[in-house]
Amino acid sequence: MTNHSPHTIIIGAGLTGLTAAYSLQQKGVDVLVLEKENRIGGQIHTFHEDGFTFESGPNTGIIAHPEVAELFSLLKPFGCSLVTARAEAKQRWIWKNGCFHTLPVGLKNSIRTTLFTWKDKLRILREPFRPKGTDPNESISDLVRRRLGVSYERYAVDPFISGVYAGDPERLVTRFALPKLYNLEHTYGSFIKGAIAKMRQPKSDRDRLATREVFSAEGGLQALIDALGNAIGDKHMVTDARDVRVLPAEKGFAVTYHAADDTCLSLHCQQVITTVGAYALPALLPFVAKEQMQHLANLHYAPVVQVSVGFKDIDGIRQNAFGGLIPSCEQRDILGILFPSSCFSDRAPEAGAVYSVFLGGVRHPEVIHKSDADIIRIVLNELHQMLSFPVDKYPDLIRIFRHPHAIPQYEQNSGRRFDAIAQLQRQYPGLVIAGNLRNGIGMADRIKQGMTL
């Protein structure tokens, strides 16, 4: 518990909040982190059970920004080591017509694959000469169909969006959800021209830190959270902080909350950084006008059920891939399966494996309300059919995790939300609205935002 008034109060001890707190401390700022749960880390939580290491939230990230490598380097003294996926786990699988196919990389493999039609393969040759789109709110599906064809949208982009957003590419707006893809067309004229131009651009040593490799932390992502917590220090964090409220005050903000013993505490600070979900903002910021708050809190979240499944002995049935994704047109009962023990060491017994199976998402939000028995039945049926396990083989581990607000969807209303955030921050200097309601949803995006606030 603290009785001083820090310079900056950060609300939410997920990856963004902890990274921001650590980064600000490195700059000499006095910070305090308030977290409503009794633990830090948000959706990141690693479990170690009976020889298995598995995650209840994010399983991996992509080193998409230099800040990822830089943060891990800074946290080495606190026992946190960056690990990247094995080379053989770079393959992605896509389900089509009853079996998994490798998502092709490179021109030769793209021509040989049966995932895409010959008509669309030939369309690739004309992609650099197609005109730019004119609709700023064009969906990902519309953009890909227009430039690459229907089969690419169905068997590459649709499953990719299921894996990243658990979302519907017909509803996600490209310039918000995949801004790099949008910029390839609108800056360079085409995906191919843009990719070639970016490959030719000189890179600094810092740029090269963004290797785009799949990463985790040694022993699981909890190690990253624990290292951040140790670096920040217990006296700068309060858990079980309930009913947090922020109000503008003279030269800053008044922040009130109820402690674990139900004591109501009030603090004054010069800066407030919120990293909570958009759905929590109305109660947190009661001074914001209703119409303005509607634009902030209008974010749609995909509900996701994640099931960790472990086998101590898989009878030699190995999956040398990152995971398998399911296109929506294949009409299966899951979104996809990740293979963590194929990516990283020490995630399962030597002869075994651990899997992360994902269900629900935007298209099937009702799944989150299914019973444990129904979810287990679905998962085992899909594992037996997709990974060729004998029907009488039962897992040694099954754990179910439900996330009602798993992944924000950057849909058409995102522009209004971003504008409302900018307006509110101008209106109340010192207030920062952060978190995954803007600037991307990936772990690398969260780290970059936290390091640069």
Side-chain angles (χ1 to χ4, degrees):
M1 194 68 63
T2 181
N3 56 11
H4 77 288
S5 292
H7 177 277
T8 298
I9 291 179
I10 298 172
I11 301 167
L15 182 57
T16 308
L18 294 176
T19 304
Y22 174 68
S23 178
L24 289 172
Q25 276 189 335
Q26 296 298 294
K27 299 169 186 174
V29 179
D30 184 19
V31 302
L32 178 69
V33 181
L34 300 180
E35 168 56 47
K36 70 174 182 177
E37 303 295 339
N38 62 4
R39 56 172 293 274
I40 63 173
Q43 292 192 15
I44 296 176
H45 197 176
T46 306
F47 294 83
H48 305 279
E49 186 176 333
D50 203 18
F52 297 99
T53 295
F54 54 98
E55 309 281 356
S56 66
N59 280 250
T60 61
I62 302 292
I63 308 176
H65 305 300
E67 286 82 0
V68 175
E70 290 167 346
L71 178 62
F72 273 92
S73 179
L74 289 168
L75 293 175
K76 274 188 178 179
F78 299 94
C80 182
S81 297
L82 176 73
V83 293
T84 56
R86 297 184 180 109
E88 59 267 28
K90 290 183 178 180
Q91 286 191 70
R92 267 73 168 171
W93 291 351
I94 304 295
W95 185 264
K96 183 180 182 181
N97 295 338
C99 64
F100 278 119
H101 303 252
T102 299
L103 185 65
V105 176
L107 180 60
K108 184 183 294 186
N109 291 329
S110 295
I111 292 173
R112 290 176 174 175
T113 185
T114 58
L115 286 173
F116 314 129
T117 65
W118 275 105
K119 177 183 176 182
D120 287 343
K121 290 174 186 177
L122 293 173
R123 280 176 60 89
I124 291 291
L125 300 176
R126 298 192 297 272
E127 192 275 336
F129 308 102
R130 291 197 174 88
K132 296 180 184 179
T134 58
D135 179 5
N137 290 321
E138 185 175 30
S139 73
I140 295 171
S141 287
D142 286 341
L143 171 65
V144 173
R145 283 192 293 258
R146 177 170 56 79
R147 299 206 69 87
L148 302 178
V150 172
S151 64
Y152 279 91
E153 191 277 331
R154 285 184 176 176
Y155 286 99
V157 172
D158 176 278
F160 170 77
I161 293 301
S162 290
V164 174
Y165 276 94
D168 182 352
E170 301 281 2
R171 295 168 57 177
L172 293 170
V173 174
T174 310
R175 68 187 174 105
F176 301 134
L178 295 179
K180 290 183 179 179
L181 186 66
Y182 178 84
N183 289 333
L184 285 179
E185 180 185 32
H186 287 266
T187 302
Y188 300 99
S190 91
F191 298 160
I192 293 175
K193 288 179 182 178
I196 293 172
K198 292 184 77 66
M199 285 175 58
R200 291 175 175 172
Q201 289 176 353
K203 292 184 178 180
S204 66
D205 289 341
R206 184 169 187 267
D207 291 335
R208 293 189 184 94
L209 293 175
T211 61
R212 301 206 61 81
E213 293 176 284
V214 173
F215 79 88
S216 180
E218 187 173 342
L221 290 169
Q222 187 70 45
L224 173 59
I225 298 302
D226 292 343
L228 283 166
N230 291 332
I232 295 164
D234 289 344
K235 70 177 183 178
H236 295 285
M237 296 186 293
V238 176
T239 55
D240 283 314
R242 296 174 289 105
D243 303 320
V244 181
R245 299 289 183 273
V246 177
L247 290 172
E250 186 177 354
K251 296 182 180 179
F253 300 89
V255 179
T256 61
Y257 68 95
H258 284 86
D261 61 2
D262 212 31
T263 303
C264 184
L265 299 176
S266 180
L267 297 171
H268 182 273
C269 65
Q270 296 178 44
Q271 183 183 45
V272 168
I273 300 174
T274 79
T275 65
V276 301
Y279 51 86
L281 288 175
L284 179 65
L285 306 175
F287 62 91
V288 177
K290 184 177 180 180
E291 182 178 352
Q292 194 174 17
M293 180 55 72
Q294 284 177 342
H295 293 312
L296 285 176
N298 66 357
L299 183 56
H300 178 208
Y301 286 78
V304 171
V305 177
Q306 180 176 178
V307 184
S308 293
V309 182
F311 294 90
K312 290 185 178 180
D313 190 340
I314 56 172
D315 302 320
I317 304 173
R318 290 283 171 191
Q319 295 81 33
N320 291 321
F322 174 72
L325 295 173
I326 321 298
S328 60
C329 63
E330 291 290 320
Q331 298 183 339
R332 305 294 302 194
D333 290 329
I334 63 174
L335 298 172
I337 312 169
L338 296 186
F339 311 142
S341 50
S342 295
C343 295
F344 307 108
S345 302
D346 303 322
R347 300 298 167 105
E350 186 174 352
V354 65
Y355 305 94
S356 290
V357 185
F358 297 87
L359 305 85
V362 166
R363 288 189 174 102
H364 296 287
E366 73 283 354
V367 171
I368 201 165
H369 301 297
K370 287 184 178 293
S371 68
D372 286 0
D374 283 343
I375 288 173
I376 290 172
R377 178 185 54 78
I378 291 170
V379 168
L380 294 185
N381 179 66
E382 297 290 46
L383 284 178
H384 290 141
Q385 291 193 31
M386 292 184 168
L387 301 185
S388 301
F389 285 121
V391 293
D392 59 347
K393 189 171 186 62
Y394 197 83
D396 299 288
L397 170 89
I398 300 180
R399 297 292 179 268
I400 299 172
F401 305 100
R402 302 169 191 267
H403 303 286
H405 297 98
I407 307 174
Q409 304 295 298
Y410 287 10
E411 298 172 346
Q412 192 164 338
N413 58 15
S414 294
R416 292 193 297 271
R417 181 171 66 259
F418 301 154
D419 290 344
I421 290 171
Q423 180 185 356
L424 190 64
Q425 291 180 160
R426 287 192 300 268
Q427 191 175 352
Y428 297 96
L431 177 65
V432 178
I433 309 296
N436 62 15
L437 46 72
R438 64 177 174 94
N439 300 132
I441 65 167
M443 288 184 62
D445 300 319
R446 301 296 87 239
I447 290 171
K448 179 179 179 179
Q449 188 189 71
M451 294 283 277
T452 54
L453 287 176

